[in-house]
Amino acid sequence: MPPFLRELLDLLLRWVHLIAGIMWVGNSMLFNWLDRNLYQPEPDKQYPGLQGKIWMLHSGAFYEVDKKLLQPPARMPAMLHWFKWQSYTTWLTGASLLVVVYELGGRAMMVEASSPLSLLQASALGLGTVVGGFFTYDLLWRSPLKKVEAVLVPLTLALFGGAVFVLTHQLSGRAAYIHVGVLLGTCMSGNVFFHIMPSQRELVRATEEGRPQDPAIQWRAKQRSIHNNLLTFPLLFIMISNHFPSTFGNELGWVVLWVLMLGGAGVRYVMNIRFTWKPWRPALAGVVVLSVGALVALTLPRAAATPSSTDAVSFVRVAGIIERRCLPCHAAKPTDDVFTVAPKGVRFESPSQVKANAEKIKLQVVTTKVMPLANKTGITDDERELLGRWVDQGASLE
Ligand code: HEC
């Protein structure tokens, strides 16, 4: 695919993905919050099927909402609003984006240059984990154990943890993180498609046929909806993770991802139960302090590592390394086979461009080693060390 076309597709898909995702997650948050703030009105105001009431204030008026099951002889309302296209659009654009940016983005986006995997094998592993992971998750929660959370929650965590471990050890950090994100997103949209929507269709059918509604069906939809709610925070981190090389570029990138996924889901969980659980404030603080503390412990040592030698590094040597290892991509007219414009507009053709990016070069090449991308240009550890030392010594152009 021509690079300009890929960039255009990337832009349009990403834009729609973000809009649909905000609408979907926004709905999930609002309905979850709403459910947990329902109250039971006085007995004389209650009627069969009523599950709770809530009053809200928004944009200049009051909204009065009743949560209920429609009991016969109640009739279907003339106009009923469903919430599903936000979810489907988010998934469709997200899955397409994955293919455009990674599977079609060239081998360097998927694996390190030293990896034994071909682009095709790497893509098969990534997509296979998404599809296989989703079906395993779904079967677990369809099984007779579906109400035994004490068993299924640890099994589900082990499943996602296994996907994190395998992908981060086989694919490049950024590709691994995003494929895990697509796995979570697929579970979420799959929950809407295979469980929540069919349950709702059954509720509607029962009402139309004048049958009583089955609370078991309602329960199944709610269980999957709560899973989706808990997965939102981990997924939102993964969506922005590619901006943070200290995470996906970390030697222990799989632990970092795992910590942030657990931390995100933990925060979401405590926020959900805060209306009925008094000690939620210290619990929330505990989750945040533990996760952020672990994140700092995992990323700080490399950032604070001191160079092994103190010999001065001349700019001539730095310029030689940059020319060989970086300019194939970071130039006005790159010679790389995939990148035909300087990635992110970052160019190293003049000494001042190199100096201006000195701190970023250290972070990308020395602290996290995410550049050169996939080490496509074969930089050596000695060269990385020289670049880092040059930055530490003040990035002089002498
Ligand atoms: C094979 C192509 C390729 C090579 C070679 C390469 N880069 Fe990059 N570089 C990229 C891509 C792609 C991005 C954009 C990554 C992204 O979107 O997060 C990038 C981004 C960057 C950024 C900007 C990061 C940010 O988020 O602001 C810096 C700095 C950078 N590279 C430094 C280097 C240095 C230094 C070298 C040489 C040691 C190098 N790169 C070699 C492809 C390459």
Side-chain angles (χ1 to χ4, degrees), residues 174 325-326 329-330 339 343-344 360 364-365 371-372 376:
R174 57 176 88 225
R325 312 301 186 194
C326 316
C329 293
H330 291 287
F339 297 97
K344 285 199 158 174
K360 276 191 179 173
Q364 302 274 335
V365 183
M371 286 293 141
K376 207 172 173 182

Side-chain angles (χ1 to χ4, degrees), residues 53-175:
K53 269 182 97 63
I54 187 165
W55 281 84
M56 294 175 290
L57 184 60
H58 193 274
S59 51
F62 295 96
Y63 293 76
E64 180 187 13
V65 177
D66 287 0
K67 177 173 176 173
K68 58 180 143 189
L69 285 177
L70 289 174
Q71 307 287 16
R75 304 263 296 276
M76 283 296 298
M79 178 57 130
L80 184 64
H81 298 277
W82 294 68
F83 297 89
K84 60 179 177 189
W85 281 107
Q86 296 91 328
S87 165
Y88 299 162
T89 310
T90 309
W91 186 82
L92 287 170
T93 47
S96 312
L97 201 53
L98 181 81
V99 172
V100 167
V101 177
Y102 288 92
E103 270 71 26
L104 298 178
R107 186 169 182 273
M109 288 302 283
M110 287 293 289
V111 283
E112 294 300 314
S114 56
S115 163
L117 297 183
S118 69
L119 175 58
L120 199 66
Q121 288 168 330
S123 300
L125 177 71
L127 297 178
T129 308
V130 169
V131 175
F134 165 67
F135 281 112
T136 314
Y137 157 78
D138 193 46
L139 285 179
L140 277 178
W141 289 89
R142 275 177 198 261
S143 75
L145 287 174
K146 60 176 170 283
K147 292 204 171 166
V148 193
E149 293 191 340
V151 175
L152 283 195
V153 169
L155 281 180
T156 307
L157 291 179
L159 173 72
F160 291 149
V164 167
F165 187 82
V166 170
L167 291 181
T168 48
H169 283 79
Q170 297 300 326
L171 306 184
S172 74
R174 57 176 88 225

